[in-house]
């Protein structure tokens, strides 16, 4: 048996016995077993040297079957964070844990944020968006000094608990294979019950590649794209009418607030009816295509709308800004290939999915 003391926390000792982790209380003559995720395993944070008598006392304690107890509530609190679903008025202390583009989205209510706090201080945040009955995790981060203590798990569990109140019954997260810290993120998702599946392809290219697209050249001059209207100027009545049309076709209605109103454009040939749309959101180094829509016989208007959206993105990020898109169908990939050819970089992604009803999750909600 290999026994190692990792931490001393007051009168308690965090120990590793082979592959198991315990909190030992020698003075009180008992110990509790904890999950590895709660053991904050960044062992370089403290150089703790235990005296051999202490090590011997703990070894004897762990060998005594009568000494094991369930973790008391006060001990659990030491390893958990307070989590909150934040509104725009209270999100500010948690903005440093979001991507720069996510900060603006959170302040304007385009994404939702769960904040984690410890002793009254912000220590982490989880950002997510909602579409129909699905929550999509955008990012999750914890302050370095609080990492590996299970606080990311606290936020994910809180997300699971609160989503039914928002009429959401599924959580998804999409990870690129080269994501920094991917193994740690995957371990957290697995512990929360997420299942891995093949995700959609992610494509990325510079905005300058779109500027060089031959088919868009005639539409970059502003006078040649008069039918392209920024989303901020599209009438609410037109948005609602399109949502009704989508629902009648069995598709989910759109949350227009999720799209950037100054970078997204719609085509309104008759001034009222939306014939096509390019919906973008802001990211740290460019834009992401959130939604593309085009009716039959609206190809020319779509070219005007796309040219207007690219021009607005270049004004914000410059020609070397990036444009990313998730290819949910072959049509989107075909259109992109025709526009930018080999300039687009394609990456296969992994999707993580957690249904909140069925598949074992329903028991957690009863």
């Amino acid at each position: 048996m290999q026994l190692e003391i990792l931490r001393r926390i007051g009168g308690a000792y965090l120990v590793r016995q082979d592959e198991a982790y315990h909190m030992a209380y020698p003075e009180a003559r008992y110990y509790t077993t904890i999950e590895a995720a709660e053991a904050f395993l960044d062992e370089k944070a403290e150089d703790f040297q235990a005296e051999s008598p202490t090590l011997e006392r703990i070894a004897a304690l762990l060998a005594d079957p009568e000494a094991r107890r369930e973790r008391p509530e006060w001990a659990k609190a030491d390893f958990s964070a307070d989590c909150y679903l934040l509104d725009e008025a209270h999100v500010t202390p948690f903005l440093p844990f979001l991507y720069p583009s996510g900060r603006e989205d959170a302040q304007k209510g385009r994404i939702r944020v769960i904040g984690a706090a410890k002793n009254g201080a912000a220590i982490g945040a989880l950002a997510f968006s909602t579409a129909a009955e699905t929550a999509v995790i955008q990012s999750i981060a914890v302050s370095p000094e609080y990492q590996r203590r299970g606080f990311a798990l606290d936020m994910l569990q809180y997300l699971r608990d609160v989503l039914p109140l928002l009429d959401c019954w599924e959580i998804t997260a999409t990870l690129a294979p080269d994501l920094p810290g991917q193994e740690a993120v995957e371990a957290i998702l697995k512990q929360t019950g997420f299942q891995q599946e093949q995700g959609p392809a992610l494509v990325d290219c510079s905005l300058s590649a779109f500027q060089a697209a031959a088919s868009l050249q005639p539409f970059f001059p502003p006078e040649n794209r008069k039918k392209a209207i920024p989303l901020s100027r599209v009438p609410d009545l037109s948005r609602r009418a399109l949502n009704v049309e989508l629902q009648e076709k069995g598709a989910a209605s759109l949350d227009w607030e999720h799209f950037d109103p100054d970078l997204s454009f719609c085509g309104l040939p008759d001034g009222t009816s939306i014939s096509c749309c390019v919906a973008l959101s802001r990211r740290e180094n460019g834009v992401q295509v959130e939604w593309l829509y085009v009716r039959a016989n609206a190809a020319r208007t779509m070219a005007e709308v796309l040219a207007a959206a690219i021009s607005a993105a270049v004004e914000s990020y410059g020609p070397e800004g990036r444009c990313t898109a998730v290819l949910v169908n072959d049509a989107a990939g075909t259109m992109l290939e025709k526009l930018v050819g080999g300039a687009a970089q394609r990456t296969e992604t992994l999707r993580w999915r957690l249904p909140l009803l069925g598949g074992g999750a329903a028991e957690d909600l009863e």
Side-chain angles (χ1 to χ4, degrees):
M1 180 187 73
Q2 183 178 3
L3 178 63
E4 181 181 10
I5 298 179
L6 304 178
R7 291 283 186 285
R8 178 174 180 172
I9 309 170
Y13 295 84
L14 172 65
V15 301
R16 176 166 56 201
Q17 181 186 37
D18 296 329
E19 299 300 321
Y21 295 86
H22 310 283
M23 288 296 295
Y25 303 85
E27 298 300 325
R29 300 178 183 273
Y30 74 91
Y31 73 93
T32 61
T33 300
I34 65 175
E35 297 293 333
E38 299 175 297
F40 49 100
L41 303 177
D42 186 2
E43 299 165 31
K44 297 180 181 179
E46 178 183 342
D47 185 16
F48 178 74
Q49 300 293 332
E51 309 91 349
S52 55
T54 302
L55 203 57
E56 292 172 1
R57 290 175 63 195
I58 293 176
L61 194 66
L62 298 180
D64 183 0
E66 301 296 324
R68 178 172 178 172
R69 299 185 189 176
E70 292 297 322
R71 291 178 60 198
E73 291 301 319
W74 63 265
K76 293 180 182 179
D78 191 49
F79 293 96
S80 63
D82 298 319
C83 296
Y84 308 92
L85 182 61
L86 306 167
D87 56 23
E88 296 95 309
H90 298 90
V91 75
T92 301
F94 299 88
L95 293 179
F97 300 103
L98 307 182
Y99 292 118
S101 58
R103 296 168 193 169
E104 181 179 351
D105 288 341
Q107 289 175 308
K108 294 185 177 181
R110 293 196 288 260
I111 61 173
R112 310 297 296 268
V113 177
I114 290 172
K118 189 73 173 172
N119 299 323
I123 65 168
L126 182 155
F128 68 98
S129 59
T130 57
E133 296 183 344
T134 299
V136 181
I137 296 176
Q138 304 291 338
S139 65
I140 184 168
V142 176
S143 183
E145 62 268 32
Y146 287 96
Q147 291 177 2
R148 299 187 181 183
R149 301 192 186 186
F151 296 134
L153 281 170
D154 286 342
M155 289 189 284
L156 282 170
Q157 183 58 55
Y158 184 85
L159 178 65
R160 288 185 59 176
D161 294 341
V162 78
L163 281 181
L165 304 178
L166 303 177
D167 291 325
C168 287
W169 303 101
E170 182 181 64
I171 311 173
T172 64
T174 301
L175 305 180
D178 58 352
L179 178 75
Q182 181 187 3
E183 292 184 1
V185 175
E186 289 185 351
I188 293 172
L189 293 175
K190 286 179 181 178
Q191 283 190 269
T192 314
F194 282 77
Q195 298 297 315
Q196 184 187 96
E197 58 188 36
Q198 184 63 48
L202 180 70
V203 294
D204 173 272
C205 66
S206 67
L207 295 172
S208 61
F210 285 95
Q211 286 183 303
S215 58
L216 294 180
Q217 292 304 310
F219 305 102
F220 282 118
E223 62 271 16
N224 292 346
R225 43 182 167 90
K226 295 180 180 179
K227 296 176 184 177
I229 308 298
L231 183 58
S232 58
R233 290 171 42 203
V234 174
D236 288 340
L237 184 62
S238 300
R239 302 186 196 188
R240 289 196 294 268
L242 181 57
N243 271 343
V244 170
E245 182 180 333
L246 291 173
Q247 290 175 327
E248 289 176 348
K249 294 179 178 178
S253 60
L254 297 173
D255 180 4
W256 293 98
E257 297 300 317
H258 180 64
F259 310 138
D260 188 282
D262 300 317
L263 298 180
S264 303
F265 285 77
C266 295
L268 282 77
D270 59 5
T272 57
S273 179
I274 297 176
S275 66
C276 54
C277 180
V278 175
L280 305 180
S281 63
R282 293 180 183 270
R283 292 296 181 261
E284 184 173 3
N285 62 344
V287 297
Q288 178 164 311
V289 180
E290 298 289 350
W291 190 65
L292 292 174
Y293 169 77
V294 59
R295 287 180 179 169
N297 303 320
R300 178 186 172 86
T301 305
M302 182 61 168
E304 294 184 31
V305 167
L306 185 55
I310 293 300
S311 297
V314 170
E315 287 183 12
S316 294
Y317 295 97
E320 295 311 311
R322 309 302 296 179
C323 178
T324 60
V326 176
L327 300 183
V328 295
N329 55 49
D330 293 336
T334 301
M335 185 185 75
L336 187 67
E337 186 175 318
K338 287 182 178 179
L339 287 172
V340 300
Q345 300 174 358
R346 183 184 180 110
T347 305
E348 300 300 326
T349 65
L350 297 175
R351 185 192 297 276
W352 293 80
R353 178 175 172 271
L354 177 64
L356 299 183
L357 287 179
E363 292 82 355
D364 297 333
L365 301 175
E366 294 178 351

